[in-house]
Amino acid sequence: MLKICFSQIEVEPGHPDLNFSKMLQAINEAKANNADIIIFPEMVIPGYLLGDTWEQTSYLKDCLSYGEDIIAQSNDICIIFGNIAVDWQKKNTDGRVRKYNALYAAYQGKLIQPEKSPYPFAIKTLFPNYREFDDSRYFYSLQSLADELDTSVDDLLSPMKVNIKGQELNLGCILCEDGWSDDYNFSPIDILCKNYKLDMLINISASPYTFGKNNKRHRVFSKQAKDNQVPLIYVNNIGIQNNGKTIYTFDGSSTVYDKNGNIIACCPAYSGKNNYINLNSNEDYTPLPIPQNDDISNIYQALSYGIKKFLKDIHMKKVVIGISGGIDSAVASALYVNIIGKDNVTLINMPSKFNSETTKGLSSQLAHNLGCQYAIVPIQEVVDFTVNQFEHTDVVDLTTQNVNHLTISSFVKENIQARDRSARILAGMSAAIGGGFTCNANKAETTVGYSTLYGDQSGFLAALADLWKHQVYDLARYLNKEVYKREVIPQGIIDIIPSAELSAEQDVDAGKGDPIKYPYHDYLFRSFVESWQKVTPEDILTWYSENTLEEHIGCEKGLVAKYFSTAKEFIADLERWWNLFTGMAIAKRIQAPPILAISRRAYGFDHRESQNGAYYTRAYKQLKAKLLGETA
Amino acid sequence: MLKICFSQIEVEPGHPDLNFSKMLQAINEAKANNADIIIFPEMVIPGYLLGDTWEQTSYLKDCLSYGEDIIAQSNDICIIFGNIAVDWQKKNTDGRVRKYNALYAAYQGKLIQPEKSPYPFAIKTLFPNYREFDDSRYFYSLQSLADELDTSVDDLLSPMKVNIKGQELNLGCILCEDGWSDDYNFSPIDILCKNYKLDMLINISASPYTFGKNNKRHRVFSKQAKDNQVPLIYVNNIGIQNNGKTIYTFDGSSTVYDKNGNIIACCPAYSGKNNYINLNSNEDYTPLPIPQNDDISNIYQALSYGIKKFLKDIHMKKVVIGISGGIDSAVASALYVNIIGKDNVTLINMPSKFNSETTKGLSSQLAHNLGCQYAIVPIQEVVDFTVNQFEHTDVVDLTTQNVNHLTISSFVKENIQARDRSARILAGMSAAIGGGFTCNANKAETTVGYSTLYGDQSGFLAALADLWKHQVYDLARYLNKEVYKREVIPQGIIDIIPSAELSAEQDVDAGKGDPIKYPYHDYLFRSFVESWQKVTPEDILTWYSENTLEEHIGCEKGLVAKYFSTAKEFIADLERWWNLFTGMAIAKRIQAPPILAISRRAYGFDHRESQNGAYYTRAYKQLKAKLLGETA
């Protein structure tokens, strides 16, 4: 029987000194609890999502130096941890120094060398190069090392042997993606289990939270344990890490599976504590229930933790939120107040002549319900001044000396209002308060750029920009019912038609609102960005012509017929949004605030895109012509 | 003797239909000129930098379908071109369909299969995963295929055999990075030349322009031809391609080397035409001079082409530039006027009470010299209104009913001015004009975020943001002397101290200006971002303590002693900028406009970064303590 501590500490990416201190504390606690082994996550010293910090020699040396100090702590406890490993004599294929994403195991002050490895550490074999991951940019895989040494992974991959309390243990140690081998032509776990009799599998990970991912992980990892009849210990970190534009929460959710594939220990999500289990490789344990990870409570938990940690990391204590009486800003307000307290949140309503008494009233009601700081700052005077100033400015042609004057269209006026609210009032007032202002855009708006750059598209963080509009509503109901347990978000805000209220054409009292029909477009847009193979108008139009669109994109049945009476209308709508999604919206996303990722595909570094303009395939054009009874 | 056409067409990334049309035209011209072979660049049909468009099945099929149509054109001419290749039966390691970055060669309507390849196309072997490149994210390399098939690259890499005019030719066909193998453990060219007698090497590329890169390419490729005694044809595309945040120009500069490594044909940079050479593999040719690629004229050429093409691609015909009387906006003005004409450029001077008569005069002089559209739009009234509005707004605590009022600091007022100029005036007026406004930030400002978000940090394109301040001055002189051949940028603008003029502390007439000491900081900042192994304060302080800093970073001798009289002052300055570079400046860059890349490391997708806060290594802290005579 071994006492194993799995320590899903809150990793601070880019701060080896802080991570070292946390590890030291965890090790001391584990020692005091007589643990035999303590296991930390992947890249626990450097952090994982660091951008090109990996190119700083001094950073590499610093991480190695803290690693040495951890190894020195391994008297009477076996310490397993992730860190960078460097072979200063060799090169990566970019010509820079050779770097491995490594798992170190130390005992009695010494590193344990995997039986057949040329190095005293285990090397990550499989490299994720999808979504937010960039492993091949920085690290050299065990596969590449095998190629270089003219041998095979089979010949390099081997367990770490250690004798603890007289027990000779064979530890099968892998890193993160090594346990997700379905799409590779070999499986590191299979190789280890085929060639060796293991006492346990240890998977140290740095695995970001994604809605629903843990359910899949339980299936995959449970099967690995059961198939190989060996316990599996999965240790993930908590924290937030980012690639600039996209911020990921890491939920931990470290889990121990027994040899039957049953969950026998599981750390709560986002809890940065040591956890212990007494493990006997051959024992049959009473299974724990499988945690569920796919409802709005998980999204709430990820958002809450992510926002709180991000604010802490950027040392921001106060937040300003522009509230319109609409759902997005209301949900943002309820979230932030719950996280940093009503004293630290200032809600600002910024009416123009187009804002209805209805939404002004709802804004006030929201602010009162939350009991936070509240101000009303009208924009009409500056908007009028601006339009007047532009129209009366002499624009002189210095070649001909002709003097011209601008005319300001209704559309230009709409954007003047949006920018006045954000760039003049929210940016200025939040700076005066000593905080930042939020971007409340949802994912549907972000998809098609239904927002104004330097207007409602701005802010220090877009916390809701990975939630579709229907998820924002779910979250509103959840906040009222489960978090506040009272109606902080007025029902009127949930019921009112979404509208920007930037012109008389968007009069909410007349039932006029956004051009986005969320019950349909939420799902159409989702198919563009979140589908496994990304969906384009060619697919959409094919499904439309086959009458299978609703089931393919997952929206309610009957909506397509309800919204579009002809193929022509349907196509015009499709092209309108596709043109925006692949056109102006990309330009806006390039300058958008960082997004907190929730879904399996968030904008930013996760969904990479180029500003290339809209494109329609030949097959699309042919099908369109056919549907419209034209020649392509 | 073969007549070879190398066609460096202007590739439109994301638009296979347009590329197909251009190729067709080029092929017809080559046929009319009796060419035996026509060679197009890598990924000539789809484009190369497409982001995750590679995940659209319909896009892949579309590219393949246009590829088929090109193959059908190969009667009486051998057509070599780059395109995506798909094996629908296999998977990439991300689980998506198997994609190869492929070179196709077609003759008499049929594809030519490399002797030992399992496919009728050549597959890229070496994958760049540095800078802006992401090949491993999307494609499967010949190396990975060899691993999968349990064989070696040596056994798969083979020439394409074709009989043209009775000549049996062995074509060694590779793609881009395959010719840059110095940092890999094998060389595709060496393998081909070792195992086969080749008639020529063909390297099709999609290689973005980088200041100075062509000089290195000439050395590397010339040596390959000479060492193997075989002619080498390098075909690169022209155009611009982007990863969202970073826009690259592709200069073409396609080159033919004879078997002695001499340049015997070379296409002009950024010229999208067919070029022809009569090639005899064994002939000794008279060498052409090696084109030089490392002075300000090359930068000017890249900027001019890049801006012009970007404007065309986003259908922007008119541009508004805020001019301050400073160097950056003046250079931007002269550049844009030269590209789109004085009728399409509106310069706007936006004085506050802090702007001197000097800079207002210089602005006017610049506009008159250029003869473009000009307007003066003062900001003081709205700035004063805003400050007054903020100070008189009741901020009510809705729990206690306490009413608070904000006080607006001088720093907050500075940013209010900057945002008023950009988000209110430039954004509004450019929208009214039907165009966009430029971001004129240089690379030094961009490095440390010496700019205001939604203020001077905004715009549709940051064309100068990859130029250090000294390069902006070089460009100013070049524009006057070589482009306009008269003083369009007034000498006063070149001579005046750089200043933001946002407060009385920045009075240019009193010689007060930016806190950035460009002759030193340009080079310090460059070491942070452009060094091969990125430099950090640990390196800087080490060199400072060894008195070798100036030679390490490349600035003028004596500057360190001139600017800093003590180690304490030096360290305070270093930490000030490092804190900004790795702190607030990242937050600003996340929301910055796209940057036109020039240098070997541009901000954006090229230099990837995470918002993790400033970090100082243990070794830095120890050295600092030693220099300050303290204990660490």
Side-chain angles (χ1 to χ4, degrees), chain A residues 15 52 55 58 62 65 69 96 131 134 137 147 242 245 371 374 389 396 399 459 532 536 590-591 601 608 610-612 615 618, chain B residues 15 52 55 58 62 65 69 96 131 134 137 147 242 245 371 374 396 399 459 532 536 590-591 601 608 610-612 615 618:
Chain A
H15 295 273
D52 293 344
E55 293 176 17
S58 67
D62 198 58
S65 132
D69 289 358
R96 294 189 174 82
R131 293 199 60 192
D134 259 350
R137 183 176 174 91
D147 287 338
N242 72 88
K245 198 67 135 195
Y374 185 54
Q389 187 181 29
V396 189
T399 299
W532 181 245
T536 73
I590 290 171
Q591 300 193 41
R601 215 65 189 271
R608 302 186 190 174
S610 300
Q611 208 174 348
N612 287 337
Y615 182 70
R618 185 147 62 168
Chain B
H15 295 273
D52 293 346
E55 292 176 19
S58 68
D62 198 59
S65 133
D69 289 359
R96 294 190 175 82
R131 293 200 60 193
D134 259 351
R137 182 176 176 91
D147 287 338
N242 71 88
K245 198 67 137 195
Y374 185 53
V396 188
T399 300
W532 181 246
T536 72
I590 290 171
Q591 300 193 43
R601 215 64 190 271
R608 302 186 190 175
S610 301
Q611 209 174 346
N612 287 337
Y615 182 69
R618 186 146 63 169

Coordinates of all heavy atoms in Angstrom, one line a residue, chain A residues 15 52 55 58 62 65 69 96 131 134 137 147 242 245 371 374 389 396 399 459 532 536 590-591 601 608 610-612 615 618, chain B residues 15 52 55 58 62 65 69 96 131 134 137 147 242 245 371 374 396 399 459 532 536 590-591 601 608 610-612 615 618:
Chain A
H15 N 6.0 32.2 -14.1 CA 6.5 32.6 -12.8 C 7.1 31.3 -12.0 O 6.5 30.9 -11.0 CB 5.5 33.3 -11.9 CG 5.1 34.6 -12.5 ND1 5.7 35.8 -12.3 CD2 4.1 34.9 -13.4 CE1 5.2 36.8 -13.0 NE2 4.2 36.3 -13.7
D52 N 6.3 32.8 -26.8 CA 7.7 32.5 -27.2 C 8.7 32.8 -26.1 O 9.9 32.9 -26.3 CB 8.0 33.4 -28.4 CG 7.3 33.0 -29.7 OD1 6.7 31.8 -29.7 OD2 7.2 33.7 -30.6
E55 N 11.8 30.9 -25.9 CA 13.1 31.2 -26.6 C 14.0 32.0 -25.7 O 15.1 32.4 -26.2 CB 12.7 32.0 -27.9 CG 12.0 31.2 -28.9 CD 11.5 32.0 -30.1 OE1 12.1 33.2 -30.3 OE2 10.6 31.6 -30.8
S58 N 17.6 32.5 -20.6 CA 17.6 32.7 -19.1 C 16.4 32.2 -18.4 O 16.5 31.7 -17.3 CB 17.7 34.2 -18.8 OG 16.5 34.9 -19.2
D62 N 16.5 29.3 -15.6 CA 15.8 29.6 -14.3 C 14.9 28.4 -13.9 O 14.9 27.9 -12.8 CB 14.9 30.8 -14.5 CG 14.5 31.5 -13.2 OD1 15.4 31.8 -12.4 OD2 13.3 31.6 -12.9
S65 N 16.9 25.5 -12.8 CA 17.5 25.7 -11.5 C 16.5 25.5 -10.4 O 16.8 24.9 -9.3 CB 18.1 27.2 -11.4 OG 17.7 27.9 -10.3
D69 N 16.3 22.4 -7.3 CA 15.9 22.6 -5.9 C 14.7 21.7 -5.5 O 14.7 21.3 -4.3 CB 15.5 24.1 -5.7 CG 16.7 25.0 -5.7 OD1 17.9 24.5 -5.9 OD2 16.6 26.2 -5.6
R96 N 17.0 26.4 -32.7 CA 17.2 26.8 -31.3 C 17.6 25.6 -30.4 O 17.5 24.5 -30.9 CB 16.0 27.6 -30.7 CG 15.8 28.9 -31.5 CD 14.7 29.7 -30.8 NE 14.7 31.0 -31.5 CZ 14.0 31.3 -32.7 NH1 13.4 30.3 -33.3 NH2 14.0 32.5 -33.2
R131 N -6.1 23.4 -31.9 CA -6.7 24.4 -31.0 C -5.6 25.4 -30.5 O -4.9 26.0 -31.3 CB -7.4 23.7 -29.8 CG -8.6 22.9 -30.2 CD -9.5 22.6 -29.0 NE -10.0 23.8 -28.4 CZ -10.6 24.0 -27.3 NH1 -10.8 22.9 -26.5 NH2 -10.9 25.1 -26.8
D134 N 0.6 24.4 -29.3 CA 1.7 24.7 -30.2 C 2.9 23.9 -29.9 O 4.1 24.3 -30.1 CB 2.1 26.2 -30.0 CG 1.5 27.1 -31.1 OD1 1.0 26.5 -32.1 OD2 1.6 28.3 -31.0
R137 N 6.1 23.8 -32.0 CA 6.8 25.0 -32.1 C 8.0 25.1 -31.1 O 9.0 25.7 -31.4 CB 5.9 26.2 -31.9 CG 6.5 27.6 -32.1 CD 5.4 28.6 -31.9 NE 5.9 30.0 -31.9 CZ 5.9 30.7 -33.1 NH1 5.6 30.2 -34.2 NH2 6.4 32.0 -33.0
D147 N 13.4 9.1 -34.3 CA 13.9 9.3 -35.7 C 15.3 9.7 -35.7 O 16.1 9.2 -36.5 CB 13.0 10.4 -36.4 CG 11.6 9.9 -36.7 OD1 11.4 8.7 -36.7 OD2 10.7 10.8 -36.8
N242 N -2.9 31.7 -20.8 CA -3.4 32.3 -22.0 C -2.4 32.4 -23.1 O -1.2 32.2 -22.9 CB -3.9 33.7 -21.7 CG -2.8 34.7 -21.4 OD1 -2.2 35.3 -22.3 ND2 -2.3 34.8 -20.1
K245 N -4.7 36.3 -26.9 CA -6.1 36.5 -27.2 C -7.1 35.6 -26.5 O -8.3 35.9 -26.3 CB -6.3 36.4 -28.7 CG -7.5 37.0 -29.3 CD -7.5 38.5 -29.2 CE -8.0 39.2 -30.5 NZ -7.6 40.6 -30.5
G371 N -27.3 46.3 -5.9 CA -26.8 47.2 -4.8 C -25.4 47.7 -5.0 O -24.7 47.9 -4.0
Y374 N -23.5 53.0 -9.1 CA -24.3 53.2 -10.3 C -24.3 54.7 -10.7 O -24.3 55.6 -9.9 CB -25.8 52.9 -10.0 CG -26.7 52.9 -11.2 CD1 -26.4 52.3 -12.4 CD2 -27.9 53.7 -11.1 CE1 -27.3 52.3 -13.5 CE2 -28.8 53.7 -12.2 CZ -28.5 53.1 -13.4 OH -29.3 53.1 -14.5
Q389 N -19.7 69.1 -35.5 CA -18.3 69.4 -35.7 C -17.9 68.9 -37.1 O -17.2 69.6 -37.9 CB -17.4 68.9 -34.6 CG -16.0 69.4 -34.7 CD -15.1 68.8 -33.5 OE1 -15.4 67.7 -33.0 NE2 -14.1 69.6 -33.2
V396 N -10.2 70.7 -46.8 CA -9.6 71.5 -48.0 C -8.7 70.6 -48.9 O -7.9 69.9 -48.4 CB -8.8 72.6 -47.4 CG1 -8.4 73.6 -48.6 CG2 -9.5 73.4 -46.3
T399 N -4.5 70.9 -53.2 CA -4.1 71.1 -54.6 C -5.0 72.0 -55.3 O -4.5 73.0 -55.9 CB -4.0 69.7 -55.3 OG1 -3.1 68.9 -54.6 CG2 -3.6 69.9 -56.8
G459 N -12.8 46.7 -24.3 CA -12.9 46.3 -22.9 C -11.6 45.6 -22.6 O -10.8 45.2 -23.4
W532 N -16.5 20.0 -36.1 CA -15.2 19.3 -36.2 C -14.5 19.5 -37.5 O -13.4 19.9 -37.6 CB -15.4 17.8 -35.9 CG -14.2 17.0 -36.0 CD1 -13.9 16.0 -36.9 CD2 -13.1 17.1 -35.1 NE1 -12.7 15.5 -36.6 CE2 -12.1 16.1 -35.5 CE3 -12.8 17.9 -34.0 CZ2 -10.9 15.9 -34.9 CZ3 -11.6 17.7 -33.3 CH2 -10.7 16.7 -33.8
T536 N -19.2 25.3 -44.1 CA -19.2 26.5 -45.0 C -20.6 26.5 -45.7 O -21.4 25.6 -45.6 CB -18.1 26.4 -46.0 OG1 -18.5 25.4 -47.0 CG2 -16.8 26.0 -45.4
I590 N -9.6 40.7 -34.6 CA -8.1 41.0 -34.5 C -7.9 42.0 -33.4 O -6.9 42.0 -32.7 CB -7.5 41.4 -35.9 CG1 -7.5 40.3 -36.8 CG2 -6.1 42.0 -35.7 CD1 -7.2 40.6 -38.3
Q591 N -8.8 43.0 -33.3 CA -8.6 44.1 -32.3 C -9.5 43.9 -31.1 O -9.7 44.8 -30.3 CB -8.9 45.4 -33.0 CG -7.9 45.7 -34.1 CD -7.9 47.1 -34.6 OE1 -7.9 48.0 -33.8 NE2 -7.8 47.3 -35.9
R601 N -14.2 25.4 -29.2 CA -13.5 26.3 -30.2 C -13.8 27.7 -29.9 O -14.9 28.2 -30.2 CB -14.0 25.9 -31.6 CG -12.8 26.1 -32.6 CD -11.7 25.1 -32.3 NE -10.6 25.3 -33.2 CZ -10.4 24.7 -34.4 NH1 -11.3 23.9 -34.9 NH2 -9.3 24.9 -35.0
R608 N -7.9 29.9 -35.4 CA -7.0 30.8 -36.1 C -7.5 31.3 -37.4 O -8.1 30.4 -38.1 CB -5.6 30.2 -36.2 CG -5.1 29.8 -34.9 CD -3.7 29.3 -34.9 NE -3.4 28.7 -33.5 CZ -2.3 28.1 -33.2 NH1 -1.3 27.9 -34.1 NH2 -2.2 27.6 -32.0
S610 N -7.4 34.1 -40.9 CA -6.7 35.1 -41.8 C -7.7 36.0 -42.4 O -8.8 35.6 -42.7 CB -5.9 34.4 -42.9 OG -4.9 33.6 -42.3
Q611 N -7.3 37.3 -42.5 CA -8.2 38.3 -43.1 C -8.1 38.2 -44.7 O -7.4 38.9 -45.3 CB -7.7 39.7 -42.6 CG -8.8 40.7 -42.6 CD -8.3 42.0 -41.9 OE1 -7.2 42.0 -41.4 NE2 -9.1 43.1 -42.0
N612 N -8.9 37.2 -45.2 CA -8.8 36.9 -46.7 C -10.0 37.3 -47.4 O -10.1 37.1 -48.7 CB -8.4 35.5 -46.9 CG -6.9 35.2 -46.6 OD1 -6.1 36.1 -46.5 ND2 -6.6 34.0 -46.2
Y615 N -15.3 33.7 -49.2 CA -15.1 32.8 -50.4 C -16.3 31.8 -50.5 O -16.8 31.4 -49.5 CB -13.8 32.1 -50.2 CG -13.5 31.2 -51.4 CD1 -13.2 31.7 -52.6 CD2 -13.6 29.8 -51.3 CE1 -13.0 30.9 -53.8 CE2 -13.4 29.0 -52.4 CZ -13.1 29.6 -53.6 OH -12.9 28.8 -54.7
R618 N -16.8 26.6 -55.8 CA -17.5 26.3 -57.1 C -18.8 25.5 -56.9 O -19.8 25.8 -57.5 CB -16.5 25.6 -58.0 CG -17.0 25.3 -59.4 CD -15.8 25.4 -60.4 NE -14.8 24.3 -60.1 CZ -13.8 24.0 -61.0 NH1 -13.7 24.7 -62.1 NH2 -12.9 23.1 -60.7
Chain B
H15 N -8.6 32.1 -52.1 CA -9.5 32.3 -53.3 C -9.0 31.4 -54.5 O -8.4 32.0 -55.5 CB -9.5 33.8 -53.7 CG -10.1 34.7 -52.7 ND1 -11.5 34.9 -52.7 CD2 -9.7 35.3 -51.6 CE1 -11.8 35.7 -51.7 NE2 -10.7 35.9 -51.0
D52 N -7.4 28.5 -39.9 CA -8.1 27.2 -39.8 C -9.0 26.9 -41.0 O -9.8 25.9 -40.9 CB -8.8 27.0 -38.5 CG -7.8 27.0 -37.3 OD1 -6.6 26.8 -37.6 OD2 -8.2 27.2 -36.2
E55 N -9.5 23.4 -42.2 CA -10.5 22.5 -41.6 C -11.8 22.4 -42.3 O -12.7 21.7 -41.9 CB -10.7 22.8 -40.1 CG -9.5 22.6 -39.3 CD -9.7 23.1 -37.8 OE1 -10.8 23.2 -37.4 OE2 -8.6 23.3 -37.1
S58 N -15.1 21.5 -47.5 CA -15.6 22.0 -48.8 C -14.4 22.8 -49.5 O -14.3 22.8 -50.7 CB -16.8 22.9 -48.7 OG -16.5 24.0 -48.0
D62 N -12.7 22.0 -53.1 CA -12.6 23.0 -54.1 C -11.2 23.2 -54.6 O -11.1 23.3 -55.9 CB -13.1 24.4 -53.4 CG -13.5 25.4 -54.4 OD1 -14.4 25.1 -55.2 OD2 -12.9 26.5 -54.4
S65 N -10.5 20.3 -56.9 CA -11.2 20.4 -58.1 C -10.5 21.4 -59.1 O -10.3 21.1 -60.3 CB -12.6 20.8 -57.8 OG -13.1 21.8 -58.7
D69 N -8.4 20.7 -62.8 CA -8.6 21.5 -64.0 C -7.2 22.0 -64.6 O -7.0 22.2 -65.8 CB -9.5 22.7 -63.8 CG -11.0 22.2 -63.7 OD1 -11.2 21.0 -63.8 OD2 -11.8 23.1 -63.4
R96 N -8.4 14.9 -37.8 CA -9.0 15.4 -39.0 C -8.4 14.7 -40.2 O -7.4 13.9 -40.1 CB -8.9 16.9 -39.1 CG -9.7 17.6 -38.0 CD -9.8 19.1 -38.2 NE -10.6 19.7 -37.2 CZ -10.2 20.0 -36.0 NH1 -9.0 19.8 -35.6 NH2 -11.1 20.5 -35.1
R131 N 8.3 31.2 -36.1 CA 7.7 32.5 -36.6 C 6.2 32.4 -36.9 O 5.4 32.0 -36.1 CB 8.5 33.0 -37.8 CG 10.0 33.4 -37.4 CD 10.5 34.3 -38.5 NE 9.8 35.5 -38.7 CZ 9.9 36.4 -39.7 NH1 10.8 36.2 -40.6 NH2 9.2 37.5 -39.7
D134 N 2.9 27.4 -39.2 CA 2.1 26.5 -38.4 C 2.0 25.1 -39.2 O 0.9 24.5 -39.0 CB 0.7 27.1 -38.2 CG 0.6 27.7 -36.8 OD1 1.4 27.5 -36.0 OD2 -0.5 28.3 -36.6
R137 N 0.4 22.0 -37.7 CA -1.0 22.1 -37.3 C -1.9 21.6 -38.4 O -3.0 21.1 -38.1 CB -1.4 23.6 -37.0 CG -2.8 23.9 -36.5 CD -2.9 25.4 -36.2 NE -4.3 25.7 -35.8 CZ -4.7 25.8 -34.6 NH1 -4.0 25.4 -33.6 NH2 -6.0 26.2 -34.3
D147 N 7.4 7.4 -40.9 CA 7.2 6.8 -39.5 C 6.0 5.9 -39.6 O 6.0 4.7 -39.1 CB 7.0 7.8 -38.4 CG 8.3 8.6 -38.1 OD1 9.4 8.0 -38.3 OD2 8.2 9.7 -37.6
N242 N -1.7 36.7 -44.6 CA -1.7 37.1 -43.2 C -2.2 36.1 -42.3 O -2.9 35.1 -42.7 CB -2.6 38.4 -43.0 CG -4.1 38.1 -43.2 OD1 -4.7 37.8 -42.2 ND2 -4.6 38.2 -44.4
K245 N -3.3 38.9 -37.2 CA -2.6 40.1 -36.7 C -1.3 40.5 -37.4 O -0.9 41.6 -37.4 CB -2.1 39.6 -35.2 CG -1.8 40.8 -34.3 CD -3.0 41.6 -34.0 CE -3.0 42.0 -32.5 NZ -4.3 42.5 -32.1
G371 N 0.0 68.2 -50.9 CA -1.2 68.6 -51.7 C -2.4 67.8 -51.6 O -3.2 67.6 -52.5
Y374 N -7.1 68.1 -46.4 CA -6.6 68.5 -45.1 C -7.7 69.2 -44.3 O -8.5 69.9 -44.8 CB -5.4 69.5 -45.3 CG -4.7 69.9 -44.0 CD1 -4.2 69.0 -43.1 CD2 -4.6 71.3 -43.7 CE1 -3.6 69.4 -41.9 CE2 -3.9 71.7 -42.5 CZ -3.4 70.7 -41.6 OH -2.8 71.1 -40.5
V396 N -23.5 56.7 -7.5 CA -24.3 56.4 -6.3 C -24.0 55.0 -5.8 O -24.1 54.0 -6.6 CB -25.8 56.5 -6.6 CG1 -26.6 56.4 -5.3 CG2 -26.1 57.8 -7.3
T399 N -26.3 50.6 -2.2 CA -26.5 49.9 -0.9 C -26.6 51.0 0.2 O -27.5 51.0 1.0 CB -25.3 48.9 -0.7 OG1 -25.3 47.9 -1.7 CG2 -25.5 48.3 0.7
G459 N -6.6 51.8 -35.4 CA -6.6 52.0 -36.9 C -6.8 50.7 -37.6 O -6.9 49.7 -37.0
W532 N 17.9 36.1 -31.7 CA 17.7 34.7 -32.0 C 17.2 33.9 -30.7 O 16.2 33.2 -30.7 CB 18.9 34.1 -32.6 CG 18.8 32.7 -32.9 CD1 19.5 31.6 -32.4 CD2 17.9 32.1 -33.9 NE1 19.0 30.4 -32.9 CE2 18.1 30.7 -33.9 CE3 17.0 32.7 -34.8 CZ2 17.4 29.9 -34.7 CZ3 16.3 31.8 -35.6 CH2 16.5 30.4 -35.6
T536 N 16.7 38.8 -22.1 CA 15.9 39.2 -21.0 C 16.8 40.1 -20.1 O 18.0 40.2 -20.3 CB 15.4 38.0 -20.1 OG1 16.6 37.5 -19.4 CG2 14.8 37.0 -21.0
I590 N -2.6 42.9 -27.9 CA -3.7 42.0 -28.2 C -4.8 42.7 -28.9 O -5.5 42.1 -29.7 CB -4.2 41.4 -26.8 CG1 -3.2 40.4 -26.3 CG2 -5.6 40.7 -27.0 CD1 -3.5 39.9 -24.8
Q591 N -5.0 44.0 -28.6 CA -6.1 44.7 -29.3 C -5.6 45.7 -30.3 O -6.3 46.6 -30.8 CB -6.9 45.5 -28.2 CG -7.5 44.5 -27.2 CD -8.6 45.2 -26.3 OE1 -9.4 46.0 -26.8 NE2 -8.6 44.9 -25.0
R601 N 11.3 39.4 -36.9 CA 10.3 39.1 -35.8 C 9.4 40.2 -35.6 O 9.7 41.3 -35.0 CB 11.1 38.8 -34.5 CG 10.5 37.7 -33.6 CD 10.5 36.4 -34.4 NE 9.8 35.3 -33.7 CZ 10.2 34.5 -32.8 NH1 11.5 34.6 -32.4 NH2 9.4 33.6 -32.3
R608 N 4.8 35.3 -30.6 CA 3.6 34.9 -29.8 C 3.9 35.2 -28.3 O 4.9 35.0 -27.8 CB 3.3 33.4 -30.1 CG 3.1 33.2 -31.5 CD 2.6 31.8 -31.9 NE 2.7 31.7 -33.4 CZ 2.4 30.6 -34.1 NH1 2.1 29.5 -33.4 NH2 2.5 30.5 -35.4
S610 N 2.0 35.6 -24.2 CA 1.0 35.4 -23.2 C 1.0 36.5 -22.2 O 2.1 37.0 -21.9 CB 1.2 34.1 -22.5 OG 1.2 33.0 -23.4
Q611 N -0.2 36.9 -21.8 CA -0.3 38.0 -20.8 C 0.0 37.4 -19.4 O -1.0 37.0 -18.7 CB -1.7 38.5 -20.9 CG -1.9 40.0 -20.6 CD -3.3 40.5 -20.8 OE1 -4.1 39.9 -21.5 NE2 -3.6 41.7 -20.3
N612 N 1.2 37.3 -19.0 CA 1.6 36.6 -17.8 C 2.3 37.5 -16.8 O 2.6 37.1 -15.7 CB 2.5 35.4 -18.0 CG 1.8 34.2 -18.7 OD1 0.5 34.1 -18.5 ND2 2.5 33.4 -19.3
Y615 N 8.5 39.1 -15.4 CA 9.2 38.1 -14.6 C 10.7 38.4 -14.6 O 11.3 38.8 -15.6 CB 9.0 36.7 -15.1 CG 9.7 35.6 -14.3 CD1 9.2 35.3 -13.0 CD2 10.8 34.9 -14.8 CE1 9.9 34.4 -12.2 CE2 11.4 34.0 -14.0 CZ 10.9 33.7 -12.7 OH 11.6 32.8 -12.0
R618 N 15.9 34.3 -11.0 CA 16.7 34.2 -9.8 C 18.1 34.8 -10.1 O 18.6 35.6 -9.3 CB 16.8 32.8 -9.3 CG 17.4 32.6 -8.0 CD 16.8 31.5 -7.2 NE 17.0 30.2 -7.9 CZ 16.8 29.0 -7.3 NH1 16.3 29.0 -6.1 NH2 16.9 27.9 -8.0

